[in-house]
Amino acid sequence: MDLKVLRYFIEIIDAGGFGKASEKVHLTQPALSKALRQLEEELDLVLLERGKRGTQVKLTQAGEVVYRHGKELLAGRQRMLAELSAQRSLTAGELKLGLAPLGSAEIFAPIIAKYRQQYPQIDMHLLVRGGVEQTLAIQKGEIELATGIINLDDGYHGIRVFNDPMVVVLPKENPLTSRPILSIHDLVDEPQVMFETEYTLYQLVLTACQHAGFTPKNITRVSQADFGIALVAAGTGVMILPRSIARRYSVSGVVNIPLASDELRWELSLFWRKEQVLSFAAQAMIALVEKHLTQK
């Protein structure tokens, strides 16, 4: 049903006739009459009782139904347009952003704070999830944007936000601390402190070890970098971490030795599905991240 024609019909009733309605909608009376006939033909119903020229128009019972529902349809259209306008101007809407547990606080906290300052009326949902959960959540549409380590050619668009070399965190008494740089293979006999399996970094480290010809043994799993480093200091094992994270949570009793950069790096991205039509709120976040990167 053409909403424009429906509006003409409602204007005829509200104006009390074709003459005044014609002036209001800037349409000739013959054109207005033709539009009404088309609406009646489409519905196969008579909507108006037509009297003598100049008399008040009167609705049929079917016309009353169309008039009442037509008012609701046109009001709904106006509400829809107003809501879309608010979203476009970022005075309404929501953003569901998934944050990787590792590194997001350091990198995204200032960006999120800036976003909240600029767009205080956007309803923001921050969901902290491991890499595997992040990917599933964005595929299901539970979140619109996500941060994490991901192959951007694999069904996703995104922005590389951070590229950090890796280090091996070792107890001070470990003989490997005398080396200026380590390779993955140097850790073949070392017990390792690693993240839980839902963390992307766990899979990256595991894959790098397997490419070096071994699978880590005596693994102690953690979900927090600071606790993992504390375990290293206590002599539980060694841990591979991004350099920035290792420095942030460093404690006495550990040493950070660079890992050969061609073997493993930590590349954090802001990403979204390629086929997804992004909300205005999400587009604003992407623009803010890009601006933040150019100002670094």
Side-chain angles (χ1 to χ4, degrees), residues 235-252:
T236 305
V238 304
M239 189 175 191
I240 297 176
L241 282 173
R243 181 178 61 187
S244 58
I245 302 298
R247 285 176 175 175
R248 173 171 180 171
Y249 296 110
S250 185
V251 297
S252 61

Side-chain angles (χ1 to χ4, degrees), residues 270-288:
L270 177 72
F271 64 95
W272 56 93
R273 289 183 293 114
K274 282 184 177 178
E275 69 274 16
Q276 185 171 4
V277 178
L278 294 174
S279 67
F280 295 113
Q283 293 176 41
M285 173 57 79
I286 293 169
L288 198 59

Side-chain angles (χ1 to χ4, degrees), residues 71-84:
K71 283 268 194 179
E72 293 175 0
L73 285 171
L74 292 178
R77 175 181 180 273
Q78 286 304 113
R79 289 193 299 271
M80 176 192 71
L81 292 175
E83 188 171 338
L84 289 173

